[in-house]
Amino acid sequence: VHMFFTPEFAPYYFDAYYKEDMILLEIVSRVGGGIRELTKKAKEFLAREYGFILEGKPAKVEACTEPLIFRELFSGAFLPARGNVLLVGDAGGMQMPVTAEGIGTALKSGIMASDAVALASHKGEKADKLYLPEVARLVEEIKKIYGWTKRIREASSLSPKVLSETLQGAWSEGLRMGE
């Protein structure tokens, strides 16, 4: 995977990777972020810098708007558990706001869920009563990292160096999450 954080694309980014004889282009933006214009900019950047052929026709076009869940997750309007049904990782809205990655949070929330199920089974209780307080701490950590999105947006209008330093700070905080 090659990730691109270009000044003209900030505060969003895109990545490109080769899979099954195709180049997959993934555009990361918010809802209403002008995805068609961002896709055009990404293709133009790849053509200019790497010889990407613009005449190619997409084999598939998809969209994912997972960041919409952050507001509901952070406010408590959406709870990633009910009774003995526990949602972990992306399904529970627990992906990293800056990178949209979810494997680390999936592992952490998965362990929390398995612990809750084991303890609930032993105590004869519903697992959500044990899982929700544990996962609430993880959600609070994700919420702190979400705060970086505003800083990234502001840094994007300053300079590539400031943007790079801000992105590095956001990623570093994400890597330290839960320490």
Side-chain angles (χ1 to χ4, degrees):
V1 175
H2 301 279
M3 299 185 83
F4 301 90
F5 298 92
T6 65
E8 67 264 25
F9 218 76
Y12 311 117
Y13 67 91
F14 65 95
D15 58 61
Y17 54 98
Y18 189 74
K19 182 178 179 182
E20 299 175 10
D21 297 327
M22 291 185 281
I23 295 176
L24 299 176
L25 183 61
E26 182 177 59
I27 310 297
V28 179
S29 81
R30 64 181 172 180
V31 173
I35 196 69
R36 284 190 173 90
E37 182 61 28
L38 292 172
T39 301
K40 181 181 173 198
K41 283 182 179 182
K43 287 180 178 181
E44 288 169 353
F45 174 85
L46 291 171
R48 183 177 68 245
E49 300 295 327
Y50 298 97
F52 189 76
I53 300 169
L54 292 175
E55 292 79 33
K57 185 176 179 180
K60 189 175 186 179
V61 177
E62 293 182 343
C64 182
T65 58
E66 76 275 357
L68 291 175
I69 200 165
F70 288 143
R71 185 178 354 189
E72 287 78 16
L73 183 66
F74 296 160
S75 72
F78 169 77
L79 297 175
R82 183 180 301 156
N84 286 324
V85 176
L86 312 179
L87 301 177
V88 301
D90 287 356
M94 293 171 269
Q95 63 271 52
M96 299 300 287
V98 175
T99 63
E101 295 172 306
I103 191 68
T105 55
L107 291 170
K108 287 179 185 201
S109 58
I111 290 168
M112 290 172 184
S114 67
D115 289 346
V117 167
L119 191 56
S121 176
H122 179 73
K123 290 181 164 188
E125 297 178 5
K126 296 288 185 186
D128 64 343
K129 303 292 183 235
L130 302 166
Y131 178 65
L132 288 171
E134 291 298 315
V135 85
R137 288 191 279 282
L138 178 59
V139 170
E140 282 303 312
E141 291 183 52
I142 293 169
K143 194 179 202 179
K144 283 187 230 168
I145 295 167
Y146 184 78
W148 281 90
T149 57
K150 182 178 178 187
R151 288 184 246 174
I152 291 168
R153 199 172 301 117
E154 291 167 353
S156 70
S157 65
L158 299 175
S159 75
K161 183 178 187 316
V162 172
L163 175 60
S164 176
E165 290 167 351
T166 306
L167 286 167
Q168 182 180 9
W171 281 55
S172 293
E173 186 167 323
L175 290 172
R176 288 190 308 270
M177 189 173 89
E179 287 183 347

